[in-house]
Amino acid sequence: METVFSARAWQTVWQYRATFISGFLNTLQSALVGLLIALVIGFVLGLAAVSGKRLLRGIARVYVEFFQNTPLILQICFLYYALAYSGVKIQVVTIGFLGLGLYTGAYMAEVVRAGINAVPRGQFDAAASQGFGWLDTMRLIILPETIKIILPPMVNQMVALIKNTSCLYIIGGADLISCTYNFVTGVETGGAYGPAYLLGGLLFFCMCYPLSHLAGRWEKRLKAREQTKASAEEAQTGEEATV
């Protein structure tokens, strides 16, 4: 086993850099497809959770509780082996997409639900007074307001999704962690553990840090906007009281 300071190990990593680039791109692909699935599930279940239908609220609650309270790696293994033993032929990469999407969708649903509930109740009442139905109220009034609220936590869930792609290693995926492990255990490349895992960590950092930073900036802007709005309302209330 060679240390992280071994020039030979770094030379080997550079020589097989295509392995890490492939893993990096596959991780991005898995994260993007998983995110699309999660967004669809999140908005559908988030809307169901705030609907007036008890059945829909119950379905949304059961889904969220199940996927949030069981490990992602267990869910991926279940999908992989359950589908295999049932005779359904599906590619490992597709199982990865589904596993990531179904799991993250539960968290996205909670983000959407919380965002809708954060919209002032007066918006709902105003829509009802104008004769809007529930779907039109959500589509034209509530969801546009909700998007501004849920963007920061959604970006944080995107970061978590990228890191969760490492769980695809358990089913032999082609993600960054799997490619790194195959590299350090390979016949010609084995032993360069330090440089390989350090490079893998740096590549994950390059994917996650910009998103985390962006989420933090959005959250600060949102809080500053809310404080400004609250101050303006207080000032207006004070002026009306004076008059």
Side-chain angles (χ1 to χ4, degrees), residues 30 33-39 41 63 96-106 161:
S30 297
V33 177
L35 176 63
L36 291 176
I37 297 172
L39 287 174
I41 293 173
Y63 183 97
F97 295 158
L98 289 174
L100 292 169
L102 293 172
Y103 179 78
T104 309
L161 173 60

Side-chain angles (χ1 to χ4, degrees), residues 34-35 37-39 41-43 45-46 60-61 63-72 75 99-115 150 153-158 160-161 164:
L35 176 63
I37 297 172
L39 287 174
I41 293 173
F43 274 99
L45 293 182
R61 193 74 255 151
Y63 183 97
V64 169
E65 292 296 339
F66 175 80
F67 280 93
Q68 285 190 350
N69 291 289
T70 53
L72 171 60
Q75 296 169 22
L100 292 169
L102 293 172
Y103 179 78
T104 309
Y107 290 89
M108 288 295 189
E110 284 293 273
V111 170
V112 174
R113 181 191 62 80
I150 66 177
M154 273 195 167
V155 174
N156 286 329
Q157 289 302 324
M158 290 169 59
L161 173 60
N164 283 336

Side-chain angles (χ1 to χ4, degrees), residues 119-211:
V119 175
R121 190 65 201 176
Q123 297 281 43
F124 292 88
D125 296 335
S129 67
Q130 295 297 320
F132 285 99
W134 187 83
L135 286 177
D136 287 335
T137 299
M138 287 294 171
R139 181 172 60 89
L140 299 175
I141 298 175
I142 303 303
L143 286 181
E145 291 289 329
T146 302
I147 294 297
K148 295 182 292 185
I149 300 172
I150 66 177
L151 273 178
M154 273 195 167
V155 174
N156 286 329
Q157 289 302 324
M158 290 169 59
V159 173
L161 173 60
I162 292 172
K163 291 186 287 187
N164 283 336
T165 58
S166 59
C167 292
L168 301 182
Y169 156 75
I170 197 68
I171 58 172
D175 61 288
L176 182 56
I177 292 298
S178 298
C179 290
T180 303
Y181 178 78
N182 292 335
F183 174 84
V184 299
T185 57
V187 176
E188 297 181 359
T189 59
Y193 288 92
Y197 281 117
L198 179 59
L199 178 58
L202 289 173
L203 291 174
F204 267 106
F205 180 83
C206 290
M207 286 185 280
C208 295
Y209 176 74
L211 292 173

